[in-house]
Amino acid sequence: MTPRKTPLQAFGFHLRNLGIFLLLLAPVFTYILANNAYTNSLVARNGPYVHFNGLDPSSEAYVTWETPDPEATSLSLGTTPGALAPHVTNATPVTLHRVKLQGLTPDTVYHYQASNGRTGSFKTAPLVTRDFSIGLFSDSQQLWGIGHYEVISSLIAADRDIAFVSCVGDIAQEPDVQPYWNLFWQQSEPWFPRVPFVPVIGNHDIDYANATGSRYYKYFGFSYDNGPYNNTFYYTFNWSHVQFVIAEISTTGTITGNGDIDITLHDTWLNETLANGQDKAFRIVMFHRNLMTSTTTDQRLVDRITPIAERYNVSLVIFGHNHHYERLLYNDVRYLCLGGGGGMQDGAFRIIPECEALNVGPSYTRLTFSADRIHGNTISERGDAIDTFTLVKDGSRVVLLGGGA
Amino acid sequence: MTGPVPGLFFVGHLYAHVIAFLFFTGIIAGHGWAEKARDPAIRYTCPAVVGLRAFLFICATTLGLLFLDTVYKQLVLGVFGYGNVMHWLGMVVLLATIGIEFIVAAAFVAPTRKALVTFGAVVATFTYLMQFHFPAATDVDLERAMLLVLGACIVVGVTVQGILAAAHGIYIKVATSRRVESRRDTPLWDIQHAFKRAFSFKANLVLWVLLLVEFVLSFEGWGLLAWLSLDAFLGAVAGIAGGILTFALLSRWRANRKLVDELRGQLGRRA
């Protein structure tokens, strides 16, 4: 007697179909596992890289690098590549080496060689008005090592004459998983030796329950050693005629009760800092968490931050968190969301009235500052123009001159 | 280019592509064993199988509409602009092909009246939600909205199909009890053989491989056509179109010549 078929069997479905289905997905699983295995195999041999969290980039900088085994620290420094003089030596063996450089001359190219044998250079900030460009991306985080940050890194490497590069938060996928950070540093090697890095703290970079155990703290430290804003990650600096304000808005839009940072203190600092920067031609505020985009809007953050941006004539507010590129206009202030830096891109959109330009996929943004204008150019992995715009100084504010790709 | 249109709600090519890849993988896995996939003449009679098939076709219709909506909003409305069109064009072309295949397979290969009414109901639900409801709603969770669109279309499709099947069943029962001849809901037309030729297992396998490659490339920041410039792509398309046209004209010319030769031959014999 023929056994009675179940409806699924009658439809032609057998357990082997499930097997075939899984077999067909095998290339995807292999791709994921291979990337994850590669990421986990990376050794913490990172840097050196230059950063200036909490310092004055016209005269100070940190040079940081990491070695897999504890070693002594030494750094040679000079303004001519062939004539570097020993700058600092510390015999205490450590794995994370950080040298603070002080007394540097503004607008000068410095060359260095770290004790791990690697060399690099950077240029200090000018004190006078001078044209310069910066490179920007956000959300380079790569889960299981999968993502397109390497493409962004090659775009930065191909971009010449940029003063510094900033990742507007979510540098790595997890704040306490070392391989993810190794991946970021090692994929950044094409550009690290010649461009300083301006980090912005993101929600994936910090675990506030264990802030000093997070890799963001390990690699950049707190911005201030003393004073009212001690043990915080927000900082500010001036580069030529532009004030850059790196705020710490990474986790939430609530005022209290989340155990992250003292938001009242943060916003006091933000107001004070921007008030002090009114003599600058442009004020750029950068932080990680998105205010409004065509994927999500955090109304609490909109209510908290946009009045400050408007009050202090902020020229441009830059954030990430949402994984796509978007340019927005809200109450005469322009906002950029730069989430095309490496993590998986957003899937669904509902375009908000504030949206001026939108894109999904790898994107890298270059801002060029001249005396009276900011020119923005966002490009794809092929170098195609995704968005271009020019903001022209109009009194203490800026207005859009032209836009569109 | 229209540019960003406030309120426009859509699913981007990346998410649509991931959904397409997973669903298509299921189709390929089932292709070799589903008897009807090999032999279009087979008719399923088991109610559970017929129901399951109808359900899968409603899912395919919904996904097909979603993919074509993505194609329309990116390619026609230009929501992302055309600055980096080559980055997503490969994915959009694949979505268009699969979207058309899904919709034709589900609703137009051998459609009954019930199937066409169900298709109409799914299209109406999809259009209402995508074009009117979510664009006008405030405070939308977009991922949830996307799932809601898919879920609502499937529920509406299954419900309409169920109601129509039940109503038709009752009609047949009543007609039979009254000994009156009943009208069966037979297919209005049948293009199964032509469809199977166009979307054969081999063709689907090629599509699946392209989806897989695009799937991996998209995570690496590239795409199938990202290696080409727009000019090179348009040149290749024009070249292929020109080749097809030339081939068609030559075939026509050769056929005409053959006809003329035959006529000449016949006339010669008569003379």
Side-chain angles (χ1 to χ4, degrees):
Chain A
M1 186 180 141
T2 316
R4 189 181 160 81
K5 285 182 176 177
T6 65
L8 276 176
Q9 285 169 334
F11 188 54
F13 186 90
H14 301 273
L15 262 183
R16 62 185 170 184
N17 294 52
L18 190 63
I20 293 291
F21 181 74
L22 293 175
L23 198 68
L24 287 168
L25 289 179
V28 177
F29 289 128
T30 309
Y31 168 71
I32 293 169
L33 290 172
N35 272 283
N36 197 39
Y38 169 74
T39 305
N40 286 326
S41 73
L42 295 173
V43 178
R45 191 177 285 112
N46 304 318
Y49 53 92
V50 174
H51 57 115
F52 30 76
N53 312 45
L55 303 182
D56 174 4
S58 66
S59 61
E60 301 170 304
Y62 289 114
V63 181
T64 302
W65 69 97
E66 188 174 24
T67 49
D69 302 309
E71 291 174 8
T73 303
S74 71
L75 184 87
S76 300
L77 188 74
T79 51
T80 313
L84 303 182
H87 181 76
V88 68
T89 304
N90 188 342
T92 310
V94 290
T95 53
L96 193 85
H97 312 260
R98 180 168 297 139
V99 175
K100 185 176 181 180
L101 306 175
Q102 291 176 298
L104 304 172
T105 309
D107 204 13
T108 304
V109 176
Y110 283 89
H111 300 267
Y112 59 84
Q113 179 166 29
S115 50
N116 67 353
R118 294 186 180 177
T119 58
S121 63
F122 66 96
K123 191 176 185 181
T124 51
L127 293 175
V128 294
T129 299
R130 183 154 298 173
D131 291 4
F132 67 96
S133 300
I134 63 170
L136 296 161
F137 63 93
S138 181
D139 300 83
S140 47
Q141 62 193 99
Q142 301 188 102
L143 179 63
W144 304 315
I146 295 169
H148 60 255
Y149 172 63
E150 208 163 9
V151 169
I152 303 299
S153 181
S154 64
L155 291 174
I156 300 168
D159 199 1
R160 295 286 147 186
D161 299 325
I162 38 177
F164 61 82
V165 167
S166 181
C167 174
V168 193
D170 284 3
I171 296 166
Q173 177 66 24
E174 298 288 344
D176 51 2
V177 179
Q178 185 61 43
Y180 286 141
W181 290 81
N182 292 339
L183 184 70
F184 173 75
W185 294 128
Q186 289 171 36
Q187 288 186 332
S188 301
E189 277 174 12
W191 59 268
F192 263 165
R194 59 176 181 83
V195 190
F197 183 47
V198 172
V200 179
I201 198 162
N203 55 304
H204 282 266
D205 301 323
I206 187 80
D207 172 10
Y208 280 108
N210 180 25
T212 53
S214 300
R215 295 302 187 275
Y216 186 92
Y217 173 78
K218 174 184 171 183
Y219 289 115
F220 307 109
F222 286 127
S223 305
Y224 301 106
D225 296 332
N226 50 48
Y229 306 118
N230 191 27
N231 293 352
T232 56
F233 293 110
Y234 40 91
Y235 60 105
T236 182
F237 61 90
N238 298 326
W239 196 285
S240 183
H241 55 301
V242 184
Q243 180 192 38
F244 291 91
V245 180
I246 315 299
E248 188 176 348
I249 302 170
S250 61
T251 56
T252 177
T254 54
I255 303 297
T256 56
N258 279 277
D260 43 11
I261 63 167
D262 184 337
I263 289 172
T264 309
L265 186 70
H266 173 276
D267 288 2
T268 302
W269 167 84
L270 187 59
N271 278 281
E272 272 178 14
T273 306
L274 285 168
N276 292 336
Q278 293 303 300
D279 60 328
K280 294 291 169 192
F282 303 111
R283 285 154 295 283
I284 308 295
V285 175
M286 298 199 276
F287 51 84
H288 177 66
R289 200 80 175 193
N290 69 292
L291 301 185
M292 70 206 96
T293 73
S294 291
T295 52
T296 58
T297 292
D298 188 331
Q299 195 55 47
R300 293 167 304 182
L301 273 184
V302 171
D303 296 341
R304 180 183 147 201
I305 300 301
T306 55
I308 298 175
E310 290 156 26
R311 190 181 312 138
Y312 296 107
N313 303 312
V314 172
S315 316
L316 197 57
V317 179
I318 299 168
F319 49 77
H321 194 60
N322 286 156
H323 287 195
H324 67 273
Y325 172 81
E326 192 164 349
R327 173 160 55 89
L328 306 116
L329 174 66
Y330 181 78
N331 286 350
D332 295 332
V333 177
R334 284 212 155 58
Y335 297 80
L336 287 182
C337 175
L338 304 181
M344 179 164 176
Q345 296 292 280
D346 287 331
F349 300 86
R350 195 181 65 139
I351 295 167
I352 56 176
E354 293 81 6
C355 174
E356 291 185 322
L358 179 70
N359 187 72
V360 163
S363 63
Y364 164 68
T365 299
R366 181 189 230 250
L367 292 182
T368 300
F369 297 88
S370 55
D372 67 340
R373 62 190 59 198
I374 305 169
H375 180 70
N377 185 26
T378 297
I379 57 169
S380 73
E381 78 285 354
R382 297 160 37 91
D384 292 333
I386 289 170
D387 185 30
T388 55
F389 62 91
T390 302
L391 301 173
V392 180
K393 200 161 163 48
D394 181 22
S396 49
R397 296 202 156 196
V398 292
V399 292
L400 185 73
L401 186 66
Chain B
M1 172 185 156
T2 316
V5 179
L8 193 74
F9 171 66
F10 70 105
V11 174
H13 56 277
L14 273 168
Y15 266 32
H17 183 84
V18 172
I19 297 168
F21 173 71
L22 292 175
F23 198 81
F24 214 71
T25 304
I27 288 174
I28 293 287
H31 208 291
W33 286 272
E35 291 165 8
K36 197 169 168 56
R38 292 196 302 275
D39 183 1
I42 288 174
R43 294 228 170 269
Y44 292 120
T45 50
C46 171
V49 173
V50 173
L52 182 67
R53 243 181 125 242
F55 172 75
L56 286 176
F57 278 143
I58 289 165
C59 292
T61 305
T62 309
L63 291 178
L65 291 172
L66 186 80
F67 301 156
L68 293 184
D69 183 74
T70 302
V71 173
Y72 168 67
K73 283 167 184 168
Q74 288 191 204
L75 209 55
V76 181
L77 294 188
V79 284
F80 292 149
Y82 298 107
N84 69 334
V85 62
M86 295 310 290
H87 173 74
W88 47 259
L89 190 62
M91 232 179 265
V92 163
V93 169
L94 279 175
L95 287 174
T97 311
I98 293 165
I100 289 166
E101 179 183 358
F102 280 10
I103 288 174
V104 172
F108 297 107
V109 165
T112 59
R113 287 176 182 80
K114 284 203 289 280
L116 286 181
V117 172
T118 306
F119 176 72
V122 172
V123 171
T125 308
F126 184 87
T127 308
Y128 168 71
L129 290 174
M130 292 293 287
Q131 308 298 334
F132 301 103
H133 178 73
F134 286 118
T138 52
D139 199 19
V140 179
D141 180 325
L142 295 174
E143 262 80 15
R144 196 177 292 173
M146 184 183 77
L147 291 174
L148 214 101
V149 169
L150 295 177
C153 288
I154 292 167
V155 167
V156 166
V158 168
T159 307
V160 170
Q161 180 87 346
I163 290 171
L164 291 175
H168 191 239
I170 292 167
Y171 159 74
I172 289 174
K173 278 263 186 214
V174 171
T176 310
S177 67
R178 289 184 182 173
R179 298 173 191 278
V180 181
E181 193 181 336
S182 60
R183 283 183 63 182
R184 305 202 76 81
D185 190 21
T186 51
L188 297 170
W189 63 81
D190 193 335
I191 54 163
Q192 284 191 77
H193 289 282
F195 181 77
K196 293 272 180 238
R197 265 203 308 279
F199 291 102
S200 63
F201 180 69
K202 279 180 192 166
N204 278 333
L205 201 62
V206 169
L207 276 175
W208 179 81
V209 170
L210 291 174
L211 277 172
L212 173 69
V213 174
E214 183 70 67
F215 183 84
V216 171
L217 284 176
S218 67
F219 284 105
E220 295 293 315
W222 292 96
L224 274 171
L225 298 178
W227 315 97
L228 288 173
S229 68
L230 183 60
D231 289 346
F233 174 74
L234 292 176
V237 169
I240 291 167
I244 291 170
L245 191 67
T246 310
F247 180 76
L249 287 173
L250 274 174
S251 304
R252 188 72 189 260
W253 178 72
R254 283 181 64 186
N256 285 348
R257 207 173 138 181
K258 202 173 165 187
L259 192 68
V260 170
D261 287 347
E262 277 176 16
L263 283 172
R264 251 192 216 141
Q266 283 176 13
L267 288 172
R269 275 199 298 278
R270 277 184 199 171

